[in-house]
Structures are given as C-alpha cells and as structure tokens.
C-alpha cells in the first residue's frame, strides 16, 4: 500500500472504533482487517501503529486541536499525530489527497488547524493534568490515591507499548529448552525477572505461527498474570476451582503447577470463552481440567459447597492495569461502570467463598490499579466473612519478597508487568 492508502485506512479504522465505543479497539481492528484481507502484514502493522499512537495520545491531541480551532475527528486526529511526529506539511497534504485510495484533500480550514500545531510539543504545561496524563477527569483522583508521588512515572510506563511475555509449559519443556526452540525460529527471548516460568520478547513478533507455540511449549501470558497463578500455591492432587476462567490462561498455569494431577474446574459465564479454552488445553497437553458454564439458577455450586482446596477468582474489573496493551480502555470505562463492577466483584467473592473448604484458600485477583477494586474489596470481604483471614501465599514459585505478602500489587513502572493485584484469603478451620 502507498502512504496515502495507509493513512486512509488508518482514518477508516479510527472511525470504526468511534462507531463502536463499547467494543475493545483490538476487537474492532481484528474485524476491520479480516474484512480487508488484501492488506498485507507490513501494512497492517503500519496502520495499527499509527492508530495505537493516536489512542495513547487521544486527550492531548484533542486538546491541541481544540486550542487550534479544530475538531477531534478521525481525520484531524490522524493529521495531528503526524504533525507531532514531525511530518512536513507538504508531505502531509500530499498523502491526504494523493490519489484513488486517498482520505480526501485537506480543506483550507483543516490545513490552518494543522499548521498551527507545527513546532509545538505534544505535552504542554498549560494542559490540565488529566489531559497530560491521558486519563478521564473522574479517574485521576483514584489513581492519585493509588500511586501518590509515583503517579507520573506509572502513567508514563502505561503509555509505553507492552512487551510480549510467554509462559513456558513445564509439562513439556524447560525454560532453557524453550528459549533454544524459539531461537531456532528467529525469536530471541530473555528470562523474566519475577516469574520462574516467563520469557520476554520485545515488540510484536509472530509467536503464534512458531513451532514451539503450536507444540504447546509456550503460551502467551503477561508475567504479572503468571505471578497471580503462582499466588494460588497449588500442589499436585489438589481440587482447584478457577471461578472466572475466561479462555483459560491461568487454568493452564495451575494445571502445569499441579503436574496434570488432581482436578481443576474452569468456570465462566461465557460459553464462547470456555469453548476458546479447549484448543489451548489440548495444545498444552492438559487433561485434568473440567469446564463448567455458570448459569442463573444453577445448582452446581450448591452441591460443591466447601469442597475446593483453592478457588481462584480473577474478577471482572476496570482493566486499568492493562492500559499498555489496551489504551482505548482508559475511556471506555465510566464512573457508573466502576460502581457496577464493585457490586459485581463483591457478589462474586461471596459466591466463590462458599466453595472453599475449611483450611482452603481463595485467591482474589484483578488487573486493576484502583484501591476500591483491590484492597478495598478485600477489606470489606473480611468484614463480611469473619471465617476468612488474609495469609501469605508462601508459594516457592514467587520471588522471595512476594512470598510473605498477603496482598501483592504489580505495576508497569516498578515491576515491568501489567498492573495486577492479588490477595490470599484462607478459610479458618472451625476450631480455630
């Protein structure tokens, strides 16, 4: 594709995202490119790169366009990003209106707005703090509560593209063997700092097309997510419940830790997500997992009350910890959404707790950075359920500094992972 056609496609993709504000941007992009199979891999990367840069700078670009008398629509957001990328105005004008597949020539008023941005810096001291930090106004105080003086550093880290993390599958390989297998495919990975099972690659790399991935030697999983699974401290032979299993990423890690021995039940309210786990389980060689769809009025949980050694609750949350991968998520969650999530999280914790046997443990986790969803939920749960207490995980799979923590928080700036929270709650024996 020509630069002109790439720009036009980028604007079209932004427009598609605007038209589906509640749908994750990566899902919109996947549909967009699936419908346009003529767009090759290199062109897809270029188009996605521009669009994701725009999403990371959404509020700042909008602020500058407003200051210059413009409108933050897809055409102008793309133009503004290219101006701040130091694209000369002559070249910019030519790729807007340069041929059959062009986005359409810039009008005089559009050129005037973009001309006014030339020589400006993307970040400006006159910007409101929430605009400069690329967060919704209502969310800024909650992030300040979490990070305090570290907020600027953490937000900066969340604006950087995430690394590509893999978890080795110890049912089939070792970390050294997996690294060699990847290297033979031209994929050069380094060991992660915190997870004993993790490998890290920089940038977007075709891991899923590689033989080590197809053979089940590695699975894509952020290092922070791996540590959440490690918090469960499972052993072979245990009876384990992954209560919000989704497509099974943490289920796979639990099965690996259990050496395929014992019994895992992976539950979710979405049949699509559970069906998506089947292929992953088969590829990994996991055979100790049963799937169960949670439905309204289901008697399944009642019949299995107080029967699990471990219950992992990876609760639905705001996803603030995943902004490196999903910059659009910053503006898809509203204050009302958060309030509804807090109610849902508390209800899920109470239902899941009933499935933990005396002496067993519930691990509550989110990919959120907000205190209300994390420590706040745990504190309220303990107040409602006095037979549970916070305990240290003690899992040997965790770094030493995390083993004795009852609650862990991982952040992009400090830990170089996505943002994750996890707490271990033990159900006391009746004579305790």
């Amino acid at each position: 594709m020509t630069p002109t056609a790439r720009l036009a496609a980028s604007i079209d993709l932004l427009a598609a995202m605007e038209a589906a504000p509640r749908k994750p941007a990566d899902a919109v992009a996947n549909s967009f490119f699936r419908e346009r199979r003529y767009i090759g891999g290199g062109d897809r990367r270029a188009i996605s790169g521009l669009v994701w840069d725009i999403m990371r700078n959404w509020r700042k670009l909008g602020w500058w366009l407003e200051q210059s008398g413009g409108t933050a629509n897809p055409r102008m957001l793309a133009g503004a990003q290219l101006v701040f990328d130091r694209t000369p105005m002559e070249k910019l004008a030519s790729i807007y209106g340069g041929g059959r597949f062009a986005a359409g020539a810039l009008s005089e008023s559009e050129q005037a707005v973009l001309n006014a941005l030339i020589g400006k810096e993307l970040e400006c001291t006159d910007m409101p703090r929430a605009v400069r930090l690329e967060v919704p106004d209502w969310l800024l105080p909650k992030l300040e509560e979490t990070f305090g003086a570290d907020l600027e550093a953490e937000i900066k880290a969340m604006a950087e593209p995430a690394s590509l993390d893999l978890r080795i599958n110890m049912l089939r390989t070792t970390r050294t063997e997996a690294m060699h297998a990847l290297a033979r495919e031209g994929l050069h990975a380094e060991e992660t700092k915190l997870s004993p099972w993790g490998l890290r690659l920089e940038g977007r790399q075709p891991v899923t097309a590689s033989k080590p991935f197809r053979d089940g030697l590695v699975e894509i999983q952020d290092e922070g997510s791996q540590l959440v699974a490690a918090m469960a401290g499972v052993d072979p032979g245990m009876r384990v419940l992954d209560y919000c299993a989704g497509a099974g990423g943490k289920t796979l890690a639990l099965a690996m830790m259990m050496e395929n021995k014992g019994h895992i039940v992976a539950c979710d309210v979405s049949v699509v997500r559970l069906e998506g786990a089947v292929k992953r389980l088969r590829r990994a060689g996991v055979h100790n997992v049963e799937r169960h769809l949670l439905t309204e009025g289901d008697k399944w949980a009642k019949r299995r009350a107080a029967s699990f050694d471990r219950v992992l609750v990876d609760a639905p949350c705001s996803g603030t910890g995943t902004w490196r991968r999903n910059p659009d998520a910053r503006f898809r969650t509203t204050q009302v959404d958060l309030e509804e999530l807090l109610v849902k999280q508390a209800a899920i914790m109470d239902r899941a707790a009933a499935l933990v046997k005396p002496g067993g443990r519930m691990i509550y986790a989110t990919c959120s950075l907000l205190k209300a969803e994390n420590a706040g939920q745990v504190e309220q749960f303990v107040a409602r359920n006095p037979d549970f207490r916070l305990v240290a995980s003690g899992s040997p799979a965790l770094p030493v500094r995390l083993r004795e923590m009852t609650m862990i928080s991982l952040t992009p700036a400090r830990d170089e992972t996505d943002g994750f929270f996890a707490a271990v709650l033990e159900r006391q024996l009746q004579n305790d």
Side-chain angles (χ1 to χ4, degrees):
M1 295 175 74
T2 64
T4 296
R6 284 179 172 178
L7 174 62
S10 299
I11 293 170
D12 288 345
L13 177 52
L14 282 168
M17 290 173 177
E18 275 198 348
R22 304 295 290 177
K23 190 174 181 180
D26 57 351
V28 176
N30 288 340
S31 298
F32 181 88
F33 290 122
R34 196 161 46 244
E35 293 166 3
R36 296 163 177 80
R37 296 189 182 277
Y38 57 85
I39 300 179
D43 292 319
R44 282 198 301 272
R45 285 190 289 274
I47 294 163
S48 298
L50 176 58
V51 169
W52 257 254
D53 283 346
I54 291 166
M55 287 192 292
R56 290 190 180 95
N57 298 321
W58 192 271
R59 293 208 73 182
K60 291 191 287 289
L61 293 171
W63 186 86
W64 273 118
L65 288 168
E66 184 179 335
Q67 299 300 305
S68 304
T71 303
N73 57 40
R75 277 175 62 84
M76 296 303 287
L77 286 164
Q81 180 65 51
L82 291 171
V83 169
F84 284 112
D85 287 341
R86 305 303 184 223
T87 304
M89 183 53 69
E90 297 80 9
K91 181 177 179 181
L92 191 61
S94 70
I95 61 176
Y96 264 88
R100 178 182 171 193
F101 299 107
L106 290 168
S107 67
E108 288 186 12
S109 61
E110 288 174 330
Q111 286 200 48
V113 169
L114 296 177
N115 270 318
L117 304 181
I118 295 174
K120 300 287 197 302
E121 295 297 327
L122 185 58
E123 285 195 13
C124 167
T125 54
D126 293 339
M127 287 177 175
R129 193 180 192 210
V131 171
R132 184 166 52 82
L133 297 180
E134 289 290 335
V135 299
D137 294 342
W138 69 270
L139 196 51
L140 181 59
K142 299 182 186 302
L143 292 169
E144 290 172 331
E145 179 186 24
T146 297
F147 293 119
D150 295 329
L151 177 61
E152 302 255 347
E154 289 291 351
I155 290 292
K156 183 178 180 181
M158 284 190 274
E160 297 295 324
S163 59
L164 175 58
D165 291 353
L166 308 177
R167 178 186 53 75
I168 65 161
N169 178 10
M170 292 196 304
L171 298 174
R172 291 192 162 168
T173 190
T174 66
R175 189 145 70 164
T176 300
E177 289 170 352
M179 289 177 72
H180 290 328
L182 289 164
R184 288 193 290 271
E185 303 267 324
L187 301 169
H188 299 286
E190 295 183 356
E191 294 184 357
T192 51
K193 296 176 182 178
L194 301 175
S195 169
W197 317 308
L199 296 174
R200 175 162 292 177
L201 297 91
E202 293 303 323
R204 293 172 176 265
Q205 301 206 39
V207 170
T208 57
S210 71
K211 190 174 188 298
F213 181 85
R214 294 195 308 270
D215 291 348
L217 305 187
V218 295
E219 184 72 30
I220 296 173
Q221 187 177 24
D222 182 77
E223 184 180 17
S225 179
Q226 296 176 37
L227 294 174
V228 169
M231 284 283 283
V234 296
D235 291 315
M238 279 187 172
R239 184 168 169 77
V240 176
L241 173 63
D242 189 353
Y243 194 70
C244 304
K250 294 183 181 68
T251 305
L252 289 167
L254 295 171
M256 178 191 71
M257 294 169 69
M258 295 167 64
E259 300 173 8
N260 247 341
K261 299 170 185 174
H263 186 215
I264 302 174
V265 182
C267 291
D268 204 88
V269 296
S270 167
V271 66
V272 174
R273 288 195 290 263
L274 282 178
E275 288 300 323
V278 174
K279 188 175 180 180
R280 299 176 76 182
L281 293 167
R282 188 179 299 123
R283 186 175 65 240
V286 169
H287 53 69
N288 66 334
V289 174
E290 167 195 349
R291 293 172 299 122
H292 178 75
L293 181 67
L294 295 170
T295 57
E296 194 71 34
D298 191 356
K299 298 288 177 35
W300 179 91
K302 188 174 181 180
R303 291 194 295 269
R304 288 159 181 79
S307 66
F308 289 94
D309 298 289
R310 297 287 187 272
V311 175
L312 174 60
V313 179
D314 185 5
C317 68
S318 63
T320 46
T322 67
W323 285 355
R324 297 187 306 166
R325 303 176 192 282
N326 308 299
D328 58 299
R330 289 171 297 179
F331 306 110
R332 280 192 290 106
T333 301
T334 67
Q335 192 161 5
V336 172
D337 291 334
L338 178 60
E339 291 167 358
E340 292 175 351
L341 280 167
L342 293 176
V343 174
K344 182 182 291 187
Q345 288 161 359
I348 288 173
M349 288 180 78
D350 288 342
R351 290 197 297 270
L355 293 157
V356 181
K357 74 179 188 182
R361 294 178 175 184
M362 178 171 73
I363 297 84
Y364 172 74
T366 73
C367 52
S368 171
L369 300 167
L370 304 183
K371 182 179 178 181
E373 295 183 274
N374 296 337
Q377 283 286 22
V378 171
E379 291 162 4
Q380 292 174 32
F381 172 82
V382 172
R384 293 193 307 272
N385 298 272
D387 56 331
F388 279 84
R389 64 183 176 188
L390 277 164
V391 297
S393 169
S395 171
L398 290 170
V400 173
R401 71 178 177 86
L402 300 180
R403 289 177 194 173
E404 299 310 312
M405 292 184 180
T406 59
M407 295 188 281
I408 66 169
S409 295
L410 303 168
T411 70
R414 186 184 63 230
D415 304 299
E416 299 179 17
T417 69
D418 283 352
F420 278 98
F421 171 87
V424 181
L425 295 145
E426 187 171 88
R427 190 171 197 173
Q428 300 177 61
L429 297 170
Q430 292 182 354
N431 58 354
D432 282 3

